[in-house]
Amino acid sequence: MERNQMQMHRQIATIRKSLFDQGYLDEQFVQLEELQDNSNPNFVEEVVTLFYRDSARFLYNLDQALEKRPLDFSRLDSLMHQFKGSSSSIGAKKVKIECTHFRDYCNARNTEGCKRTFQHVKKEYTTLKKKLEAYFQMSRQAGPIETACRPR
Amino acid sequence: MTVEEIRGVVAGNNEINRFPIGMRVLAVDDDPTCLKLLDGLLRKCQYQVTTTNQAITALKMLKENRNRFDLVISDVYMPDMDGFKLLELVGLEMDLPVIMLSGNSDPKLVMKGITHGACDYLVKPVRLEELRNIWQHVIRRKVESKPQSKSNNNHEKSNQGNEGGDQNVKLNRKRKDEDEDVEENGHESDDDPSSQKKPRVVWSIDLHRKFVAAVNQLGDEKAVPRRILDLMNVDGLTRENVASHLQKYRLYIKRISHQANMVAAFGGSKDASSYMRMSPLEGLGDFRILSSSGRLSNAAYAPSGILGRLNSATGVTLHSLMAPPLVQPNHTQNKLQPVNHQNMNLFQEIPSSFDQCSNKPNTQLTDFSSIEESRIFTGNKLVDFNSIDESRMFTGSNPLMDPSVGLGSKSLKLSSTGSESFNLLSSSSNFLDQNGNQPPNFSSNQLPVGGNYGYSATVKGGICSNITTTDTIPLEAHGGGLVDEIVQNVNNQSLSNQKNGQYSKQDYSQYSQNAFSTLASLALASGGGGGLSGPLSHGGLNGGTSALFKTEMPSLEMKMRSSEDGLVVNNGYGSLDGLMTGMMKREQEARMIVDGEFGYDSYAFGPCA
């Protein structure tokens, strides 16, 4: 059991590392992890869950706004700004980058550019969500690291 | 006060000496993710956190119990209320430090935050390290407001009964356990208790005068707070108050000397004294003096007009009262140039006159005073108030102390000798007295406090004289009356601009935070411009303005706000709104005055924190 657990923890660590290496997550995510402790044992997962739940409305609004003609660039920009702020809070690096591209196109009042980058934003957003979900699930299964390392 | 005392005061009873642990923070952010993150971060710092995602709720909580929180952190962009607005309200009404939070790091926004009174501006995502230090804003505010608690007529209830007395006045205010309900600031010459929740020492002109007298008497070397305090023999004033005031004074003097040098560089050919003889008072009309106690400091700056303004010095206990040297009223355009020279000469001469002050104080001082006055109001004249620095010298709660303060810069320089400044001060006082109507409130904002005092007083319709200088922010205590004046801190560089009687863009970047900034902040707060709530640590606006002048306000803010912020020293400000309006008007006026050259937009406010 212990060995399994240790293996799982190692696996989790690997996955985690790859998330960083591949640029899905950045330093901010580490901040979240640091805030997790005994009094706040699931902090990271809670914040991420909250993010995905809350940001859905931004994406919805953005989708709606992008359907209008002509585009209301300032509104788009403002929505995206908020969304970007949220994403950066959890360390969603790729999502953030795509948000920036979106805003650039917004500022340039480039309709096609906006629509295109928005698709990228959504893609990154969804990809990260899946990866994090898997990551958290595994973490829960593996249990706290302390138990895995406790010598018997 | 000692660290322990501060801690004790700030923290709750059960957390004495553990501050900043347990500091009570109110976090406001409409984004739940960010809010949760913020909550986690703050808890990690061991603060006591309360969160809400609505600004309105936050305000309600704050209003219910002002002493429930030590610090407020708020997002800028919120759907139900603009973060800046919340900032103003909190700063103005509650005198709590407010930190802004935003995903946007645009300097303009940062500036806006600062001018509205924020103690600090953090960019999301916020890091733990940044939050670990925010408690400093709480302390700073307490410390800043401490000296303000003493106003001439103020009686600080909270001081009584505290160990060591006065120093805790302010701190006590923060303690929720020790809510003594002493609105000292409110008790100060103004009747608006709601404006201040903490007693602050207000450095009224009289008080400042005493202070300078004591300093001069002791001599530069021996002027230590303890002795000064003893000499001053003022009830309720603590050594700490004096110490902090002294520090500002010294900075001011330094700045003045610097200013004077700059002035000298201009090399006017006119006889400074002749300039002085100009009836500055008239020009001063717009002089605004920040008088914390609404006392028009010696700046008899303005002849009735000015004084009128001064009256409004709502509670701005800004030291600015010091010296209206900000503006040199030039009666005529023609004189602008000369005036400048004169100003410079003035400055140059001042030292000498100072020297002679002791001998013929009246003569000298009078001149000086006039200059100072002129300084303050630019009115039609251009004023290069380099000397503004002097006034700035006293940051924070110095209400316009005598114009001598303005002279101050000069005198400050001389202050090394001590006696001269003293003489000057007294002279200026006399001078002021001459004007007769010294409104109890200084409407003009004397920003002379502290450091550079870039005071560009723009006189209505007149040329804006900039008294720039230094960073100190020309606290404009616009009292209701003073609305006309906009004192702007102008950089020294503006002097050259001034030559033409026009203000070129004022470079506020020089504004350093001085005590004036606090005043400024107060002014601002009252002006409603920026609730300098954050940085304003001066609680002691005299004249009941709720203007929170926070010494921490960057001088720029003060300046900029001169019209809006309420450097209002008006005692008469009944409401912040009034102040704000006044300020805004003034600012606008100032703009106009400058022949359109006034550029207020580039305010470089220093950080408040």
Short mmCIF file of all heavy atoms in Angstrom, two decimals, chain B residues 152-206:
data_model
loop_
_atom_site.label_atom_id
_atom_site.label_comp_id
_atom_site.label_asym_id
_atom_site.label_seq_id
_atom_site.Cartn_x
_atom_site.Cartn_y
_atom_site.Cartn_z
N ASN B 152 -4.64 73.36 18.73
CA ASN B 152 -4.56 74.37 19.76
C ASN B 152 -5.62 74.23 20.79
O ASN B 152 -5.39 74.34 21.97
CB ASN B 152 -4.70 75.75 19.13
CG ASN B 152 -3.47 76.02 18.34
OD1 ASN B 152 -2.53 75.29 18.47
ND2 ASN B 152 -3.49 77.03 17.53
N ASN B 153 -6.75 74.09 20.31
CA ASN B 153 -7.80 74.04 21.30
C ASN B 153 -8.31 72.67 21.53
O ASN B 153 -9.34 72.47 22.12
CB ASN B 153 -8.98 74.88 20.82
CG ASN B 153 -8.47 76.14 20.20
OD1 ASN B 153 -7.61 76.75 20.78
ND2 ASN B 153 -8.96 76.49 19.04
N ASN B 154 -7.60 71.79 20.98
CA ASN B 154 -8.17 70.48 21.07
C ASN B 154 -7.81 69.77 22.30
O ASN B 154 -6.71 69.81 22.74
CB ASN B 154 -7.71 69.65 19.91
CG ASN B 154 -8.93 69.18 19.24
OD1 ASN B 154 -9.99 69.55 19.62
ND2 ASN B 154 -8.75 68.39 18.25
N HIS B 155 -8.74 69.13 22.69
CA HIS B 155 -8.46 68.37 23.88
C HIS B 155 -8.63 66.93 23.52
O HIS B 155 -9.67 66.49 23.11
CB HIS B 155 -9.47 68.77 24.93
CG HIS B 155 -9.11 68.25 26.26
ND1 HIS B 155 -7.87 68.43 26.79
CD2 HIS B 155 -9.79 67.53 27.15
CE1 HIS B 155 -7.84 67.86 27.99
NE2 HIS B 155 -9.00 67.31 28.23
N GLU B 156 -7.64 66.26 23.67
CA GLU B 156 -7.75 64.89 23.25
C GLU B 156 -8.19 64.03 24.39
O GLU B 156 -7.44 63.74 25.31
CB GLU B 156 -6.42 64.37 22.76
CG GLU B 156 -6.02 65.12 21.51
CD GLU B 156 -4.70 64.60 21.02
OE1 GLU B 156 -4.04 63.90 21.80
OE2 GLU B 156 -4.36 64.91 19.90
N LYS B 157 -9.32 63.66 24.27
CA LYS B 157 -9.81 62.82 25.36
C LYS B 157 -9.07 61.52 25.40
O LYS B 157 -8.74 60.98 26.41
CB LYS B 157 -11.29 62.53 25.15
CG LYS B 157 -12.12 63.77 25.25
CD LYS B 157 -13.52 63.38 25.46
CE LYS B 157 -14.04 62.74 24.19
NZ LYS B 157 -15.44 62.41 24.27
N SER B 158 -8.89 61.06 24.24
CA SER B 158 -8.31 59.73 24.24
C SER B 158 -6.94 59.74 24.86
O SER B 158 -6.48 58.77 25.42
CB SER B 158 -8.21 59.22 22.81
OG SER B 158 -7.48 60.16 22.08
N ASN B 159 -6.32 60.83 24.75
CA ASN B 159 -5.00 60.84 25.34
C ASN B 159 -5.05 60.62 26.81
O ASN B 159 -4.19 60.00 27.40
CB ASN B 159 -4.35 62.19 25.09
CG ASN B 159 -3.80 62.20 23.68
OD1 ASN B 159 -3.53 61.15 23.15
ND2 ASN B 159 -3.65 63.36 23.10
N GLN B 160 -6.04 61.18 27.33
CA GLN B 160 -6.07 61.04 28.76
C GLN B 160 -6.26 59.60 29.15
O GLN B 160 -6.97 58.86 28.53
CB GLN B 160 -7.23 61.83 29.32
CG GLN B 160 -7.05 63.28 29.02
CD GLN B 160 -8.37 63.91 28.82
OE1 GLN B 160 -9.35 63.40 29.30
NE2 GLN B 160 -8.39 65.02 28.12
N GLY B 161 -5.67 59.31 30.14
CA GLY B 161 -5.87 57.96 30.64
C GLY B 161 -5.03 56.93 29.93
O GLY B 161 -5.02 55.78 30.28
N ASN B 162 -4.34 57.34 28.98
CA ASN B 162 -3.48 56.35 28.34
C ASN B 162 -2.13 56.38 28.95
O ASN B 162 -1.65 57.39 29.38
CB ASN B 162 -3.34 56.64 26.87
CG ASN B 162 -4.60 56.25 26.17
OD1 ASN B 162 -5.27 55.36 26.64
ND2 ASN B 162 -4.92 56.92 25.12
N GLU B 163 -1.55 55.33 28.87
CA GLU B 163 -0.21 55.30 29.41
C GLU B 163 0.57 56.26 28.59
O GLU B 163 0.48 56.29 27.40
CB GLU B 163 0.38 53.93 29.21
CG GLU B 163 -0.51 53.12 28.40
CD GLU B 163 -0.06 52.73 27.05
OE1 GLU B 163 0.64 53.48 26.40
OE2 GLU B 163 -0.42 51.68 26.67
N GLY B 164 1.30 56.98 29.20
CA GLY B 164 2.12 57.89 28.42
C GLY B 164 1.27 58.91 27.70
O GLY B 164 1.78 59.76 27.03
N GLY B 165 0.03 58.77 27.83
CA GLY B 165 -0.76 59.82 27.26
C GLY B 165 -0.90 59.86 25.76
O GLY B 165 -1.24 58.90 25.11
N ASP B 166 -0.65 60.96 25.27
CA ASP B 166 -1.00 61.31 23.92
C ASP B 166 -0.67 60.34 22.82
O ASP B 166 -1.42 60.19 21.90
CB ASP B 166 -0.29 62.61 23.56
CG ASP B 166 0.19 63.21 24.80
OD1 ASP B 166 -0.59 63.25 25.75
OD2 ASP B 166 1.31 63.63 24.86
N GLN B 167 0.39 59.76 22.93
CA GLN B 167 0.76 58.97 21.78
C GLN B 167 -0.28 57.94 21.44
O GLN B 167 -0.40 57.49 20.34
CB GLN B 167 2.06 58.27 22.05
CG GLN B 167 1.96 57.53 23.37
CD GLN B 167 3.30 57.00 23.72
OE1 GLN B 167 3.89 56.38 22.92
NE2 GLN B 167 3.78 57.30 24.92
N ASN B 168 -0.97 57.58 22.40
CA ASN B 168 -1.94 56.54 22.11
C ASN B 168 -3.22 57.06 21.55
O ASN B 168 -4.08 56.31 21.18
CB ASN B 168 -2.27 55.78 23.39
CG ASN B 168 -1.02 55.14 23.90
OD1 ASN B 168 -0.26 54.61 23.14
ND2 ASN B 168 -0.80 55.24 25.18
N VAL B 169 -3.27 58.30 21.51
CA VAL B 169 -4.55 58.82 21.06
C VAL B 169 -4.94 58.22 19.75
O VAL B 169 -6.00 57.69 19.58
CB VAL B 169 -4.45 60.34 20.89
CG1 VAL B 169 -5.71 60.82 20.24
CG2 VAL B 169 -4.30 60.94 22.26
N LYS B 170 -4.06 58.34 18.91
CA LYS B 170 -4.40 57.87 17.60
C LYS B 170 -4.53 56.37 17.59
O LYS B 170 -5.41 55.81 16.99
CB LYS B 170 -3.30 58.28 16.64
CG LYS B 170 -3.76 57.99 15.27
CD LYS B 170 -3.33 59.05 14.37
CE LYS B 170 -3.81 58.85 12.98
NZ LYS B 170 -4.26 57.73 12.49
N LEU B 171 -3.63 55.78 18.18
CA LEU B 171 -3.68 54.35 18.16
C LEU B 171 -4.96 53.87 18.77
O LEU B 171 -5.59 52.96 18.31
CB LEU B 171 -2.51 53.78 18.95
CG LEU B 171 -1.20 54.01 18.22
CD1 LEU B 171 -0.08 53.42 19.01
CD2 LEU B 171 -1.27 53.38 16.85
N ASN B 172 -5.30 54.51 19.78
CA ASN B 172 -6.51 54.06 20.43
C ASN B 172 -7.67 54.09 19.48
O ASN B 172 -8.56 53.28 19.54
CB ASN B 172 -6.82 54.96 21.62
CG ASN B 172 -5.82 54.70 22.71
OD1 ASN B 172 -5.26 53.63 22.77
ND2 ASN B 172 -5.60 55.68 23.54
N ARG B 173 -7.58 55.01 18.65
CA ARG B 173 -8.71 55.12 17.75
C ARG B 173 -8.83 53.87 16.94
O ARG B 173 -9.90 53.45 16.58
CB ARG B 173 -8.44 56.27 16.83
CG ARG B 173 -8.54 57.53 17.58
CD ARG B 173 -9.68 58.34 17.10
NE ARG B 173 -10.53 58.79 18.14
CZ ARG B 173 -11.72 58.26 18.34
NH1 ARG B 173 -12.14 57.30 17.65
NH2 ARG B 173 -12.49 58.75 19.27
N LYS B 174 -7.74 53.34 16.69
CA LYS B 174 -7.81 52.19 15.82
C LYS B 174 -8.30 50.97 16.57
O LYS B 174 -8.87 50.08 16.02
CB LYS B 174 -6.44 51.88 15.24
CG LYS B 174 -6.08 52.82 14.15
CD LYS B 174 -6.39 52.18 12.85
CE LYS B 174 -5.88 53.10 11.76
NZ LYS B 174 -6.11 52.70 10.48
N ARG B 175 -8.06 50.98 17.77
CA ARG B 175 -8.40 49.77 18.48
C ARG B 175 -9.88 49.63 18.58
O ARG B 175 -10.57 50.51 19.01
CB ARG B 175 -7.85 49.86 19.88
CG ARG B 175 -6.36 49.90 19.89
CD ARG B 175 -5.88 49.65 21.25
NE ARG B 175 -6.18 48.31 21.65
CZ ARG B 175 -5.76 47.80 22.78
NH1 ARG B 175 -5.05 48.53 23.59
NH2 ARG B 175 -6.06 46.59 23.11
N LYS B 176 -10.30 48.55 18.24
CA LYS B 176 -11.74 48.43 18.34
C LYS B 176 -12.14 48.25 19.76
O LYS B 176 -13.22 48.56 20.17
CB LYS B 176 -12.21 47.26 17.48
CG LYS B 176 -11.96 45.93 18.08
CD LYS B 176 -12.78 44.93 17.34
CE LYS B 176 -11.94 43.77 16.91
NZ LYS B 176 -12.64 42.77 16.21
N ASP B 177 -11.25 47.75 20.50
CA ASP B 177 -11.62 47.58 21.91
C ASP B 177 -11.61 48.88 22.64
O ASP B 177 -12.24 49.04 23.65
CB ASP B 177 -10.62 46.64 22.58
CG ASP B 177 -10.55 45.36 21.80
OD1 ASP B 177 -11.61 44.83 21.47
OD2 ASP B 177 -9.43 44.93 21.52
N GLU B 178 -10.82 49.73 22.14
CA GLU B 178 -10.73 50.94 22.92
C GLU B 178 -11.39 52.06 22.16
O GLU B 178 -10.84 53.12 22.00
CB GLU B 178 -9.27 51.31 23.12
CG GLU B 178 -8.60 50.37 24.04
CD GLU B 178 -7.19 50.87 24.29
OE1 GLU B 178 -6.96 52.06 24.06
OE2 GLU B 178 -6.37 50.06 24.68
N ASP B 179 -12.47 51.78 21.74
CA ASP B 179 -13.12 52.83 20.99
C ASP B 179 -13.56 53.89 21.95
O ASP B 179 -14.61 53.82 22.57
CB ASP B 179 -14.32 52.24 20.27
CG ASP B 179 -14.95 53.27 19.39
OD1 ASP B 179 -14.36 54.35 19.26
OD2 ASP B 179 -16.02 53.00 18.86
N GLU B 180 -12.76 54.81 22.07
CA GLU B 180 -13.09 55.81 23.06
C GLU B 180 -14.05 56.82 22.52
O GLU B 180 -14.42 57.76 23.17
CB GLU B 180 -11.82 56.51 23.51
CG GLU B 180 -10.86 55.51 24.06
CD GLU B 180 -9.62 56.20 24.50
OE1 GLU B 180 -9.46 57.36 24.15
OE2 GLU B 180 -8.83 55.56 25.19
N ASP B 181 -14.35 56.64 21.31
CA ASP B 181 -15.27 57.59 20.72
C ASP B 181 -14.79 59.00 20.85
O ASP B 181 -15.58 59.92 21.01
CB ASP B 181 -16.64 57.49 21.40
CG ASP B 181 -17.25 56.15 21.08
OD1 ASP B 181 -17.02 55.64 19.99
OD2 ASP B 181 -17.93 55.61 21.96
N VAL B 182 -13.58 59.08 20.81
CA VAL B 182 -13.10 60.43 20.88
C VAL B 182 -12.73 60.84 19.50
O VAL B 182 -11.78 60.37 18.92
CB VAL B 182 -11.84 60.50 21.72
CG1 VAL B 182 -11.31 61.91 21.70
CG2 VAL B 182 -12.20 60.08 23.12
N GLU B 183 -13.47 61.67 19.01
CA GLU B 183 -13.14 62.09 17.68
C GLU B 183 -12.32 63.32 17.82
O GLU B 183 -12.78 64.43 17.72
CB GLU B 183 -14.40 62.41 16.92
CG GLU B 183 -15.35 61.29 17.07
CD GLU B 183 -15.58 60.63 15.73
OE1 GLU B 183 -14.76 59.84 15.31
OE2 GLU B 183 -16.57 60.96 15.14
N GLU B 184 -11.15 63.06 18.09
CA GLU B 184 -10.33 64.19 18.40
C GLU B 184 -10.26 65.16 17.27
O GLU B 184 -10.28 66.34 17.41
CB GLU B 184 -8.94 63.69 18.69
CG GLU B 184 -9.03 62.77 19.83
CD GLU B 184 -7.83 62.91 20.68
OE1 GLU B 184 -6.95 63.63 20.24
OE2 GLU B 184 -7.81 62.34 21.73
N ASN B 185 -10.14 64.59 16.18
CA ASN B 185 -10.02 65.52 15.07
C ASN B 185 -11.23 66.37 15.03
O ASN B 185 -11.22 67.54 14.76
CB ASN B 185 -9.91 64.75 13.77
CG ASN B 185 -8.59 64.07 13.76
OD1 ASN B 185 -7.64 64.59 14.30
ND2 ASN B 185 -8.51 62.90 13.19
N GLY B 186 -12.26 65.72 15.28
CA GLY B 186 -13.50 66.48 15.24
C GLY B 186 -13.50 67.51 16.33
O GLY B 186 -14.09 68.55 16.21
N HIS B 187 -12.85 67.21 17.34
CA HIS B 187 -12.87 68.15 18.44
C HIS B 187 -12.00 69.34 18.18
O HIS B 187 -12.13 70.37 18.80
CB HIS B 187 -12.41 67.48 19.71
CG HIS B 187 -13.39 66.43 20.09
ND1 HIS B 187 -13.12 65.51 21.06
CD2 HIS B 187 -14.60 66.14 19.61
CE1 HIS B 187 -14.16 64.70 21.15
NE2 HIS B 187 -15.05 65.05 20.28
N GLU B 188 -11.19 69.12 17.33
CA GLU B 188 -10.31 70.25 17.09
C GLU B 188 -11.20 71.33 16.54
O GLU B 188 -12.29 71.09 16.14
CB GLU B 188 -9.29 69.88 16.04
CG GLU B 188 -8.31 68.90 16.60
CD GLU B 188 -7.50 68.35 15.47
OE1 GLU B 188 -7.60 68.95 14.40
OE2 GLU B 188 -6.84 67.36 15.68
N SER B 189 -10.69 72.36 16.48
CA SER B 189 -11.49 73.50 16.12
C SER B 189 -12.73 73.27 15.29
O SER B 189 -13.48 74.17 15.09
CB SER B 189 -10.62 74.47 15.36
OG SER B 189 -9.99 73.74 14.36
N ASP B 190 -12.94 72.15 14.83
CA ASP B 190 -14.15 72.09 14.05
C ASP B 190 -15.23 71.33 14.78
O ASP B 190 -14.99 70.64 15.74
CB ASP B 190 -13.89 71.41 12.72
CG ASP B 190 -13.75 69.93 12.94
OD1 ASP B 190 -14.64 69.34 13.54
OD2 ASP B 190 -12.75 69.39 12.56
N ASP B 191 -16.39 71.49 14.32
CA ASP B 191 -17.48 70.80 15.00
C ASP B 191 -17.94 69.61 14.24
O ASP B 191 -19.07 69.20 14.37
CB ASP B 191 -18.70 71.70 15.12
CG ASP B 191 -18.29 73.11 15.24
OD1 ASP B 191 -17.24 73.32 15.85
OD2 ASP B 191 -18.98 73.96 14.72
N ASP B 192 -17.12 69.09 13.49
CA ASP B 192 -17.60 67.97 12.71
C ASP B 192 -16.95 66.69 13.20
O ASP B 192 -15.96 66.25 12.65
CB ASP B 192 -17.28 68.23 11.25
CG ASP B 192 -17.81 67.12 10.38
OD1 ASP B 192 -18.50 66.24 10.94
OD2 ASP B 192 -17.55 67.13 9.21
N PRO B 193 -17.47 66.19 14.18
CA PRO B 193 -16.84 65.01 14.79
C PRO B 193 -16.83 63.81 13.88
O PRO B 193 -16.00 62.94 14.01
CB PRO B 193 -17.70 64.74 16.03
CG PRO B 193 -18.99 65.40 15.75
CD PRO B 193 -18.74 66.53 14.80
N SER B 194 -17.72 63.81 13.02
CA SER B 194 -17.74 62.60 12.21
C SER B 194 -16.60 62.55 11.24
O SER B 194 -16.31 61.55 10.64
CB SER B 194 -19.05 62.54 11.43
OG SER B 194 -19.09 63.65 10.56
N SER B 195 -15.97 63.65 11.09
CA SER B 195 -14.93 63.63 10.08
C SER B 195 -13.74 62.83 10.52
O SER B 195 -13.07 62.20 9.73
CB SER B 195 -14.49 65.06 9.78
OG SER B 195 -14.07 65.64 11.00
N GLN B 196 -13.46 62.86 11.75
CA GLN B 196 -12.27 62.15 12.17
C GLN B 196 -12.61 61.15 13.22
O GLN B 196 -13.36 61.43 14.12
CB GLN B 196 -11.27 63.12 12.76
CG GLN B 196 -10.88 64.19 11.79
CD GLN B 196 -10.22 63.60 10.59
OE1 GLN B 196 -9.72 62.49 10.65
NE2 GLN B 196 -10.25 64.31 9.50
N LYS B 197 -12.07 60.10 13.09
CA LYS B 197 -12.36 59.17 14.16
C LYS B 197 -11.18 59.07 15.07
O LYS B 197 -11.23 58.44 16.09
CB LYS B 197 -12.73 57.81 13.60
CG LYS B 197 -11.62 57.15 12.90
CD LYS B 197 -12.09 55.81 12.48
CE LYS B 197 -10.95 55.09 11.84
NZ LYS B 197 -11.04 53.69 11.95
N LYS B 198 -10.11 59.66 14.66
CA LYS B 198 -8.99 59.58 15.55
C LYS B 198 -8.53 60.97 15.88
O LYS B 198 -8.54 61.84 15.07
CB LYS B 198 -7.84 58.87 14.85
CG LYS B 198 -8.16 57.44 14.61
CD LYS B 198 -6.91 56.74 14.15
CE LYS B 198 -6.79 56.77 12.66
NZ LYS B 198 -7.51 55.67 12.07
N PRO B 199 -8.13 61.09 17.03
CA PRO B 199 -7.64 62.40 17.39
C PRO B 199 -6.26 62.57 16.78
O PRO B 199 -5.46 61.65 16.77
CB PRO B 199 -7.54 62.34 18.90
CG PRO B 199 -7.44 60.91 19.21
CD PRO B 199 -8.13 60.16 18.13
N ARG B 200 -6.05 63.69 16.32
CA ARG B 200 -4.74 63.91 15.78
C ARG B 200 -4.25 65.24 16.30
O ARG B 200 -5.02 66.12 16.60
CB ARG B 200 -4.83 64.04 14.27
CG ARG B 200 -5.21 62.75 13.62
CD ARG B 200 -5.33 63.00 12.15
NE ARG B 200 -6.00 61.87 11.52
CZ ARG B 200 -5.34 60.92 10.90
NH1 ARG B 200 -4.04 60.96 10.84
NH2 ARG B 200 -5.97 59.93 10.33
N VAL B 201 -3.01 65.29 16.32
CA VAL B 201 -2.47 66.57 16.73
C VAL B 201 -2.51 67.47 15.52
O VAL B 201 -2.01 67.15 14.47
CB VAL B 201 -1.01 66.41 17.18
CG1 VAL B 201 -0.39 67.79 17.37
CG2 VAL B 201 -0.96 65.62 18.46
N VAL B 202 -3.11 68.54 15.74
CA VAL B 202 -3.19 69.47 14.63
C VAL B 202 -2.19 70.57 14.86
O VAL B 202 -2.23 71.26 15.86
CB VAL B 202 -4.59 70.09 14.58
CG1 VAL B 202 -4.61 71.19 13.56
CG2 VAL B 202 -5.58 69.00 14.24
N TRP B 203 -1.35 70.68 13.96
CA TRP B 203 -0.34 71.71 14.12
C TRP B 203 -0.86 73.04 13.60
O TRP B 203 -0.63 73.42 12.48
CB TRP B 203 0.94 71.29 13.40
CG TRP B 203 1.68 70.28 14.20
CD1 TRP B 203 1.55 68.94 14.14
CD2 TRP B 203 2.62 70.56 15.23
NE1 TRP B 203 2.37 68.35 15.06
CE2 TRP B 203 3.04 69.31 15.74
CE3 TRP B 203 3.17 71.72 15.77
CZ2 TRP B 203 3.98 69.20 16.76
CZ3 TRP B 203 4.12 71.61 16.78
CH2 TRP B 203 4.50 70.34 17.27
N SER B 204 -1.55 73.63 14.46
CA SER B 204 -2.09 74.92 14.09
C SER B 204 -0.96 75.93 13.99
O SER B 204 0.17 75.66 14.39
CB SER B 204 -3.06 75.39 15.15
OG SER B 204 -2.36 75.58 16.35
N ILE B 205 -1.31 77.04 13.51
CA ILE B 205 -0.28 78.05 13.34
C ILE B 205 0.31 78.43 14.67
O ILE B 205 1.53 78.56 14.81
CB ILE B 205 -0.88 79.30 12.69
CG1 ILE B 205 -1.35 78.93 11.30
CG2 ILE B 205 0.15 80.38 12.63
CD1 ILE B 205 -1.86 80.08 10.56
N ASP B 206 -0.55 78.58 15.60
CA ASP B 206 -0.03 78.95 16.91
C ASP B 206 0.90 77.88 17.44
O ASP B 206 1.98 78.16 17.95
CB ASP B 206 -1.19 79.11 17.90
CG ASP B 206 -1.83 80.46 17.72
OD1 ASP B 206 -1.29 81.26 16.93
OD2 ASP B 206 -2.86 80.71 18.36
#
